[in-house]
Amino acid sequence: LNVGDSFFARNAAGSRGGAICVLEDSDVSVSTTRFEQNSGGDMGGAMLVEDVLAVAIEAGCDFEANSAADGGALAVRYISTGVEPTFTNSTFTRNLCVPTADVADTSGGALSLYSAGAPRVEGCAFERNEAASGGAISAIAKTDLRLESSTL
């Protein structure tokens, strides 16, 4: 999946990925794209990426006012060891984790990483995101997060 120069607003999913849900054996690349006021139910307010081969959220992506129980803006799950999801020069503002009937303990107001390989967050800005655990970022279970030149 390659997404560029796009705008996703006020989309909703009952359980996963408010605007985009990508599952299994895919490469995911997103650049210069805005996600605003999307709702992902249980996971990934704007986007859920799970069990994929590569993830690159690149320069110029903006995630604002998205919501889900886990990963208010973006949830990345079950990435193979050795894979390095990258998040560069993007902004995450006012994303929110809201409990649902299935997920009571919210985590990762902007970004939730669960068994996500070796993700690298570089040059990103996180502001006013909210969750019970990890207001900006939650990194759990086999996730070797590198955070560089970012503002939280």
Side-chain angles (χ1 to χ4, degrees):
L1 173 70
N2 291 305
V3 178
D5 300 313
S6 298
F7 179 58
F8 295 86
R10 293 177 288 285
N11 297 289
S15 65
R16 303 189 296 182
I20 297 174
C21 179
V22 181
L23 306 172
E24 297 182 20
D25 300 330
S26 297
D27 291 341
V28 178
S29 176
V30 181
S31 62
T32 57
T33 295
R34 182 168 176 78
F35 295 88
E36 185 178 305
Q37 296 180 353
N38 298 287
S39 175
D42 293 337
M43 287 179 248
M47 202 171 162
L48 169 71
V49 178
E50 185 173 300
D51 196 22
V52 298
L53 303 173
V55 180
I57 306 300
E58 301 172 325
C61 288
D62 295 309
F63 295 84
E64 184 170 355
N66 299 286
S67 64
D70 189 35
L74 179 59
V76 177
R77 302 168 51 83
Y78 303 116
I79 305 300
S80 297
T81 301
V83 173
E84 184 180 280
T86 58
F87 309 89
T88 57
N89 301 313
S90 295
T91 60
F92 297 83
T93 309
R94 294 185 306 116
N95 298 288
L96 177 65
C97 285
V98 180
T100 65
D102 294 327
V103 181
D105 185 26
T106 65
S107 64
L111 181 57
S112 174
L113 304 165
Y114 183 87
S115 192
R120 180 174 52 89
V121 176
E122 183 176 354
C124 292
F126 297 85
E127 185 176 340
R128 298 184 341 206
N129 299 287
E130 296 180 33
S133 300
I137 302 172
S138 172
I140 301 171
K142 297 181 184 175
T143 298
D144 186 19
L145 174 63
R146 289 184 304 159
L147 184 63
E148 302 169 356
S149 304
S150 295
T151 304
L152 289 96

